[in-house]
């Protein structure tokens, strides 16, 4: 009688997509473009989808969005709504490490079957108000000679922010009622699900009229563009939707050819035979016509720049060890590549990226053997044909693979790149602290790579035979405060992928009749 959460999720994602397509015509262009690219890839390289662990059905539903919240209450009520859609907080992203006054999680389905039905996810950030206040005071102090005047200005602006926060109410009464109804009933009928999605989408709606005066909007935006975006408007509009492409290099190139203002370089790892994590590109936020209320009840025309279009290509989920290697290499790339403002950045960055990432093993087999990535294990035809356990009772999964009884499929990375997320903020909002590039020559790159090889050896010592850290890092203060605001701890993505892998091993071994506990 009740609608399955996955159906509500699909309803939510499709409705939002349909609205976004009409409101942001460039998004429709993007969809058309990658639709034809995906078809070409499938034609030219049949089997691509299976090889990377995706299906055609999933590919068409494969989209993520992002919203930006202000208050813990908002995060909690949004979480309740997403839970109804079978989407749960996955992972914590601390954006303050990159100079943003916010932190985030992503709501998404966690289980394999649910991801297969519809992997829709929403990156959900929330302002970190204590950081914002501190940064605001710093910025005002820097811009003002007299400390007395600076203190007064800070107090004044902060009280304006507080009064915005007091008045803020991003949910419709019906949405809140429906949350309660769902709690009482334990589910929604089809009709209620429709109504719920409608009410939920009111919270994600684009507004042509700001919630604050033009002057205050500008003051907030001068602090951080994201603050103008969040506090300047009544509800947290979806700021982008991201479909998946099977060839992001081609998509990035085509975006440029079609005259879309694409970011300079694709974010994330380079193109690889065995893709890891995810790669993203986007076109810059558009300035859209916006009205600002004045004191006399009139409206003043202006503009707001927030919505953009993004595309991504997903690879295999990496273990903590694989992630540490990624972080180490990407850091090296940022240091070795030219500064983003340099005229040859667009050409040189991908070269530096590709060169340094030669140190990242580039086959699924190597990734598995070195515990850098996660895989599903399935019995092969041959494995299924074997009936009893006698000869296999003491073999390891690795031997079973070698003997052709088991095969592996990469587990798709379902989460976000913190660095990439920050890159998005940076390129679309210009808020982030920028890092200077060293612009090294090829010879310098070679010596850096030699040094990196040593660092990698040292790094690997910190991880066990499953690719997990020997010593787990403690949860940060920021993460604790986020968990408190949310009222729960987001799931740890590494644990989630490891659980998917383990469950598949258990099932596979059971199918092979191998009872003995084996190590992956
Ligand atoms: C969210 C950016 C994060 C991504 O793809 O990394 C994100 C934002 O701009 O609010 O969606
Ligand atoms: Ni995104």
């Amino acid at each position: 009688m009740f609608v399955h959460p996955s159906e509500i999720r699909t309803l939510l994602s499709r409705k939002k997509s349909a609205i976004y397509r009409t409101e942001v015509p460039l998004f429709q262009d993007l969809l058309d473009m990658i639709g034809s690219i995906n078809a070409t890839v499938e034609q030219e390289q049949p089997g691509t989808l299976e090889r990377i662990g995706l299906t055609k059905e999933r590919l068409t539903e494969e989209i993520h969005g992002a919203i930006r919240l202000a208050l813990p209450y908002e995060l909690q009520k949004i979480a309740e709504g997403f839970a109804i859609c079978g989407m749960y907080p996955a992972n914590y992203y601390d954006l303050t490490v990159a100079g943003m006054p916010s932190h985030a999680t992503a709501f998404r389905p966690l289980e394999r079957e649910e991801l297969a039905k519809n992997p829709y996810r929403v990156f959900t950030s929330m302002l970190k108000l204590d950081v914002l206040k501190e940064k605001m005071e710093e910025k005002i102090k820097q811009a003002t000679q007299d400390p007395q005047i600076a203190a007064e200005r800070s107090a004044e602006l902060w009280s304006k922010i507080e009064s915005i926060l007091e008045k803020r109410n991003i949910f419709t009464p019906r949405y809140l009622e429906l949350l309660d109804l769902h709690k009482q009933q334990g589910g929604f009928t089809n009709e209620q699900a429709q109504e719920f999605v409608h009410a939920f989408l009111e919270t994600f709606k684009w507004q042509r009229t700001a919630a604050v005066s033009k002057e205050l909007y500008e003051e907030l935006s001068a602090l951080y563009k994201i603050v103008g975006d969040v506090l300047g408007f009544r509800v947290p509009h979806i700021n982008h939707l991201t479909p998946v492409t099977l060839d992001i290099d081609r998509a990035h190139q085509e975006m440029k050819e079609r005259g879309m203002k694409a970011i300079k370089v694709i974010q994330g790892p380079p193109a690889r035979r065995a893709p890891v994590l995810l790669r993203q590109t986007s076109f810059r936020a558009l300035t859209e016509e916006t009205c600002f209320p004045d004191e006399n009840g009139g409206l003043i025309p202006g503009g707001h720049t927030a919505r953009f279009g993004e595309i991504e290509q997903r690879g295999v989920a990496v273990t903590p060890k694989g992630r540490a290697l990624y972080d180490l290499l990407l850091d090296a790339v940022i240091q070795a590549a030219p500064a983003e403002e340099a005229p040859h950045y667009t050409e040189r960055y991908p070269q530096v990226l590709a060169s340094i990432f030669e140190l990242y093993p580039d086959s699924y087999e190597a990734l598995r053997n070195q515990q850098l990535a996660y895989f599903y294990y399935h019995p092969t035809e041959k494995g299924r044909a074997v009936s009893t356990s006698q000869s296999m009772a003491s073999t390891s999964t690795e031997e079973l693979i070698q003997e052709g009884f088991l095969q592996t499929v990469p587990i798709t990375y379902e989460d976000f790149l913190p660095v990439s997320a920050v890159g998005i903020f940076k390129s679309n909002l210009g808020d982030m602290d920028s890092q200077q590039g060293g612009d090294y020559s090829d010879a310098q790159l070679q010596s850096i790579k030699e040094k990196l090889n040593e660092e990698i050896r040292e790094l690997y010592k910190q991880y066990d035979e499953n690719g997990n850290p020997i010593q787990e890092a403690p949860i940060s203060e920021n993460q604790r405060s986020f968990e408190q605001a949310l009222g729960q701890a987001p799931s740890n993505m590494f644990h989630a992928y490891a659980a998917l892998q383990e469950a598949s091993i258990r099932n596979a071994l059971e199918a092979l009749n191998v009872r003995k506990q084996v190590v992956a």
Side-chain angles (χ1 to χ4, degrees):
M1 181 191 128
F2 288 142
V3 181
H4 194 273
S6 67
E7 289 175 41
I8 310 182
R9 179 164 73 251
T10 297
L11 205 61
L12 181 76
S13 121
R14 289 197 187 153
K15 280 219 156 140
K16 187 65 228 181
S17 255
I19 297 169
Y20 208 74
R21 260 181 298 213
T22 58
E23 291 182 353
V24 186
L26 272 173
F27 178 61
Q28 179 64 55
D29 295 352
L30 268 189
L31 286 178
D32 294 344
M33 192 183 90
I34 67 164
S36 76
I37 289 176
N38 290 353
T40 312
V41 171
E42 280 183 68
Q43 216 168 30
E44 288 175 1
Q45 303 149 43
T48 299
L49 279 174
E50 293 84 69
R51 199 164 41 81
I52 60 176
L54 287 182
T55 59
K56 218 179 218 142
E57 295 71 42
R58 190 187 139 152
L59 191 66
T60 55
E61 299 290 352
E62 176 90 61
I63 272 184
H64 84 249
I67 53 169
R68 300 164 182 157
L69 306 174
L71 296 166
Y73 170 78
E74 297 171 0
L75 188 61
Q76 286 155 23
K77 290 293 165 192
I78 283 273
E80 282 182 40
F82 281 138
I84 290 174
C85 307
M87 297 157 77
Y88 305 98
N91 231 45
Y92 170 73
Y93 300 88
D94 190 349
L95 302 169
T96 67
V97 296
M100 298 286 300
S102 58
H103 45 179
T105 188
F107 291 92
R108 68 167 175 87
L110 300 174
E111 281 156 21
R112 187 178 180 183
E113 298 71 35
E114 288 300 302
L115 287 160
K117 283 180 202 157
N118 183 333
Y120 189 52
R121 14 183 137 67
V122 178
F123 189 89
T124 304
S125 62
M126 180 182 71
L127 292 180
K128 195 163 190 311
L129 293 169
D130 54 348
V131 172
L132 175 60
K133 185 158 189 261
E134 207 176 289
K135 298 271 179 182
M136 175 199 74
E137 283 163 357
E138 260 171 45
K139 286 189 183 202
I140 291 179
K141 212 179 269 171
Q142 269 166 20
T144 319
Q145 304 292 332
D146 187 329
Q148 182 66 31
I149 294 174
E152 277 165 25
R153 280 199 191 147
S154 283
E156 199 184 317
L157 183 53
W158 193 253
S159 89
K160 284 181 197 165
I161 289 175
E162 281 185 325
S163 101
I164 293 173
L165 292 173
E166 269 160 35
K167 276 189 281 196
R168 226 173 120 87
N169 176 17
I170 66 168
F171 303 109
T172 64
R174 190 60 188 148
Y175 171 76
L176 297 172
E177 274 168 30
L178 285 166
L179 290 184
D180 287 340
L181 183 68
H182 189 277
K183 244 182 244 160
Q184 285 161 26
Q185 296 184 160
F188 278 152
T189 64
N190 189 39
E191 207 175 306
Q192 288 164 345
Q194 303 272 352
E195 201 194 351
F196 166 75
V197 166
H198 180 81
F200 202 10
L201 286 178
E202 287 294 309
T203 293
F204 302 139
K205 219 176 183 172
W206 179 254
Q207 303 118 86
R208 308 200 85 213
T209 307
V212 300
S213 71
K214 196 170 184 183
E215 198 187 351
L216 183 50
Y217 166 79
E218 275 160 10
E219 219 175 334
L220 296 170
S221 302
L223 272 184
Y224 288 96
K225 294 217 176 78
I226 192 182
V227 175
D229 184 45
V230 177
L231 298 183
F233 293 85
R234 205 175 44 78
V235 296
H237 56 84
I238 288 258
N239 62 55
H240 69 282
L241 286 180
T242 305
V244 158
T245 177
L246 295 177
D247 188 344
I248 198 161
D249 294 288
R250 208 182 297 195
H252 185 70
Q253 187 56 32
E254 266 194 43
M255 275 164 76
K256 290 188 167 171
E257 282 164 14
R258 289 180 184 220
M260 296 183 191
K261 288 206 176 106
I263 53 172
K264 288 184 181 161
V265 298
I266 294 171
Q267 296 164 325
R272 292 163 46 89
R273 280 190 299 274
V276 291
L277 295 164
L278 81 157
R279 304 175 69 210
Q280 298 184 313
T281 179
S282 56
F283 62 75
R284 288 180 188 283
L286 307 166
T287 301
E288 301 181 69
E289 274 176 32
T290 307
C291 295
F292 296 88
D294 66 14
E295 301 105 69
N296 315 317
L299 290 173
I300 299 179
H304 179 51
T305 311
R307 291 202 287 189
F308 60 100
E310 183 181 58
I311 319 177
E312 66 191 12
Q313 182 170 10
R314 290 184 171 263
V316 64
V318 297
T319 61
K321 184 180 173 186
R323 171 59 180 277
L325 179 59
Y326 173 80
D327 289 343
L328 177 73
L329 298 186
L330 195 71
D331 265 359
V333 171
I334 291 168
Q335 283 164 35
E340 218 189 310
E341 302 72 39
H344 59 303
Y345 177 80
T346 306
E347 192 191 330
R348 182 63 177 160
Y349 181 91
Q351 292 169 354
V352 173
L353 181 71
S355 170
I356 289 185
F357 267 77
E358 280 166 10
L359 302 179
Y360 208 115
D362 192 14
S363 75
Y364 289 135
E365 204 186 358
L367 293 174
R368 196 183 68 240
N369 289 335
Q370 297 181 36
Q371 307 91 35
L372 294 168
Y374 294 107
F375 295 86
Y376 288 123
Y377 290 69
H378 299 300
T380 56
E381 287 294 320
K382 181 179 168 190
R384 283 186 195 284
V386 178
S387 55
T388 53
S389 58
Q390 352 90 359
S391 65
M392 283 186 273
S394 59
T395 33
S396 68
T397 50
E398 209 42 54
E399 279 170 302
L400 291 170
I401 290 171
Q402 296 311 328
E403 284 164 35
F405 294 117
L406 279 184
Q407 62 190 12
T408 57
V409 183
I411 297 183
T412 303
Y413 184 66
E414 308 287 355
D415 294 284
F416 293 79
L417 291 177
V419 181
S420 171
V422 165
I424 294 291
F425 278 113
K426 181 181 171 186
S427 47
N428 284 284
L429 292 164
D431 275 341
M432 204 191 84
D433 300 340
S434 81
Q435 228 160 337
Q436 277 298 312
D439 200 1
Y440 296 152
S441 68
D442 285 344
Q444 282 172 305
L445 274 186
Q446 278 319 312
S447 77
I448 286 173
K449 281 161 76 174
E450 274 156 37
K451 256 190 255 146
L452 279 171
N453 259 325
E454 272 165 49
E455 281 182 50
I456 291 169
R457 268 193 295 278
E458 285 306 307
L459 185 75
Y460 280 4
K461 289 183 188 156
Q462 298 166 28
Y463 293 87
D464 67 15
E465 69 286 355
N466 292 317
N468 289 322
I470 290 164
Q471 228 173 352
E472 191 92 48
I475 289 174
S476 69
E477 272 305 307
N478 286 0
Q479 180 165 353
R480 263 187 218 296
S481 83
F482 189 85
E483 292 177 355
Q484 211 157 35
L486 178 62
Q488 58 182 303
S491 66
N492 173 309
M493 66 170 159
F494 297 118
H495 297 171
Y497 294 123
L500 291 175
Q501 175 172 284
E502 275 158 31
S504 83
I505 292 175
R506 261 196 317 276
N507 290 340
L509 294 184
E510 221 157 86
L512 291 183
N513 251 325
V514 180
R515 300 268 175 258
K516 194 166 178 286
Q517 186 68 35
V518 286
V519 192

